[in-house]
Amino acid sequence: MTDAATSPAASDAETLAPLAAPATAGTDAAHQSGDAVPDGVALRSGEAPVSKTFWANLNHPFSVGIFLTLGGLVAVLLGLAFWNLSTIIIYIVFALFVALGLDPVVRWFERHNVSRAWAIVIVYSVFAVILAGVVLLVVPRLVEQIGQFVSDLPDLVTQFQASDFYGWLTSTFGSQFSDMVTQAKTFLSNPANLAAIGGGVLNFAVGVGTAISGLIIVIVLSLYFLAGLPTMKKSFMQFAAARNRPKATAMTNQITDSIGAYLMGMVVLAFCNSVVAFLLHLFLGLPFPALMGVLAFLITLIPLIGSVLYWITATVIALFTGWVPALIFAIIYLIYMQLEAYVLTPRVMNRAISVPGALVVIGAMVGGTLLGLLGALVAIPVTASILLIIKQVFIPRQDAKL
């Protein structure tokens, strides 16, 4: 009877034993003994869970302070290193985009049974011939016209003051406008002021030397990048999981092809703008045709708004010659801009990824603010690549979620 009576009681005690919690659980005694509060108990008692005890209670404030201090110092050092290496990073990015821009031409030669090595030799040989021609034919004339432009600035202002357009501006805006033009003429007549604007002869020479050395570095790096571009793509694809590599390879090829087509198209369109501007200045008798042609090439590299900027700039400069040639130039170049927008651009950019106009303007402004002309040039293909990744990766994943 005794054993039978006590057996159920013992089994009940054994059954209830696992449900009992220690008396010190969730109390100060548990913290004094160094035991962590379990997550379930923490939810009921309001204490910090095991996973967050270190950060919530700061049981080791000295270690946390050392860790945060070292992390901040590392972040500052990385920022300083990136700032000091910004020029080299710009060279690398520029060279990579040059390689991507020349890659479609190299692959065109490969499709015509020319090996990649010989295709690269042909492309860079043609590029070297064009560069040598520009240096021998355009640069001396360009330097001469820049010097002539600087020396003729006061005479140009005088001619502008004798024009009918200046008379209309004076009658419209009053004597304040004529006083402002006179002060500008006095300022430009002083060579010391012009030297101050240009930063001095020494700074100009240093800038030219830096630009030439940077161009050489970019050309050499782009040669290596262009030669190793297929290998670089394969190595990059190895970072993706094996099941995702076919899709990642297709996306990478689409992005690089689009970037190459876009950059090559921008160069072609800028060259067309340069030729049109040079011929218009030459036939209309406007000053400095070579200088304005080079300026047209550089400005029209800016996506979407480059042609408009050059149109306004060249028209204003042409007003110093007279309002009739300036009006003729403005009308003809405006017609060319429409031809470029509706005929040339769709044909040249047919392989590039289309980007909404608002994103083009935003990307150009952000890239231009960060990296200048280079940033404005590469901002659009970068934006197009981000849009492609969003359309083909992010949106399908969101659509698959229920």
Side-chain angles (χ1 to χ4, degrees):
M1 291 294 295
T2 304
D3 293 341
T6 58
S7 178
S11 61
D12 292 340
E14 292 174 358
T15 303
L16 297 176
L19 299 178
T24 60
T27 63
D28 294 338
H31 295 287
Q32 294 175 359
S33 62
D35 297 334
V37 181
D39 288 353
V41 176
L43 293 176
R44 295 191 298 271
S45 62
E47 299 288 341
V50 176
S51 58
K52 296 183 179 179
T53 301
F54 178 77
W55 295 103
N57 296 333
L58 294 179
N59 295 330
H60 306 284
F62 182 77
S63 300
V64 173
I66 291 294
F67 178 78
L68 294 177
T69 302
L70 291 178
L73 290 176
V74 170
V76 171
L77 291 176
L78 288 177
L80 291 175
F82 182 82
W83 178 261
N84 293 327
L85 296 175
S86 59
T87 303
I88 298 177
I89 295 173
I90 291 175
Y91 289 160
I92 294 174
V93 173
F94 198 10
L96 181 59
F97 274 85
V98 169
L100 292 175
L102 294 177
D103 187 58
V105 183
V106 173
R107 286 191 283 109
W108 181 86
F109 280 104
E110 287 182 320
R111 290 194 297 268
H112 290 77
N113 299 324
V114 179
S115 64
R116 187 173 183 85
W118 279 108
I120 294 175
V121 171
I122 294 173
V123 170
Y124 273 83
S125 298
V126 174
F127 178 74
V129 170
I130 295 175
L131 183 62
V134 170
V135 171
L136 295 177
L137 299 177
V138 178
V139 171
R141 184 63 176 167
L142 181 62
V143 173
E144 178 185 353
Q145 291 189 359
I146 291 176
Q148 183 181 354
F149 176 74
V150 173
S151 61
D152 290 349
L153 272 177
D155 295 335
L156 290 174
V157 176
T158 303
Q159 294 176 8
F160 176 66
Q161 287 177 325
S163 64
D164 297 335
F165 182 69
Y166 175 79
W168 176 80
L169 290 175
T170 304
S171 61
T172 304
F173 297 101
S175 60
Q176 294 180 352
F177 180 79
S178 60
D179 294 339
M180 182 179 64
V181 174
T182 303
Q183 292 176 2
K185 180 181 178 180
T186 304
F187 180 83
L188 296 174
S189 300
N190 190 353
N193 294 330
L194 296 177
I197 293 175
V201 178
L202 181 60
N203 291 336
F204 178 77
V206 171
V208 172
T210 303
I212 293 175
S213 62
L215 180 62
I216 295 174
I217 293 173
V218 168
I219 292 175
V220 174
L221 282 177
S222 64
L223 177 61
Y224 283 109
F225 286 155
L226 186 60
L229 196 57
T231 305
M232 292 170 59
K233 290 181 181 180
K234 292 180 182 179
S235 301
F236 181 73
M237 287 303 100
Q238 291 178 353
F239 287 96
R243 65 178 181 275
N244 297 329
R245 285 177 186 173
K247 184 177 181 180
T249 302
M251 286 185 58
T252 302
N253 291 332
Q254 187 175 355
I255 290 173
T256 54
D257 292 345
S258 178
I259 292 176
Y262 174 82
L263 295 177
M264 185 61 64
M266 287 299 299
V267 172
V268 171
L269 293 176
F271 178 75
C272 293
N273 277 276
S274 176
V275 172
V276 171
F278 173 78
L279 294 177
L280 283 176
H281 278 77
L282 188 63
F283 290 128
L284 293 176
L286 298 175
F288 320 116
L291 175 61
M292 298 306 295
V294 174
L295 186 64
F297 180 82
L298 295 177
I299 293 181
T300 54
L301 284 175
I302 302 175
L304 194 64
I305 60 175
S307 299
V308 178
L309 289 178
Y310 178 75
W311 177 61
I312 297 173
T313 304
T315 303
V316 171
I317 294 176
L319 284 173
F320 287 92
T321 303
W323 70 270
V324 175
L327 180 61
I328 296 175
F329 173 84
I331 293 174
I332 296 178
Y333 197 81
L334 183 61
I335 294 174
Y336 168 76
M337 288 170 56
Q338 305 306 313
L339 180 67
E340 179 188 70
Y342 294 103
V343 178
L344 294 179
T345 301
R347 292 179 180 272
V348 174
M349 297 293 189
N350 57 353
R351 294 186 58 192
I353 301 175
S354 59
V355 181
L359 293 181
V360 170
V361 177
I362 294 173
M365 290 191 299
V366 172
T369 303
L370 295 177
L371 299 176
L373 179 61
L374 172 63
L377 180 62
V378 304
I380 309 306
V382 171
T383 305
S385 303
I386 295 175
L387 288 178
L388 179 65
I389 294 174
I390 292 175
K391 290 179 181 179
Q392 297 193 9
V393 177
F394 180 76
I395 293 179
R397 287 184 178 179
Q398 295 300 108
D399 293 339
K401 296 179 181 180
L402 298 179

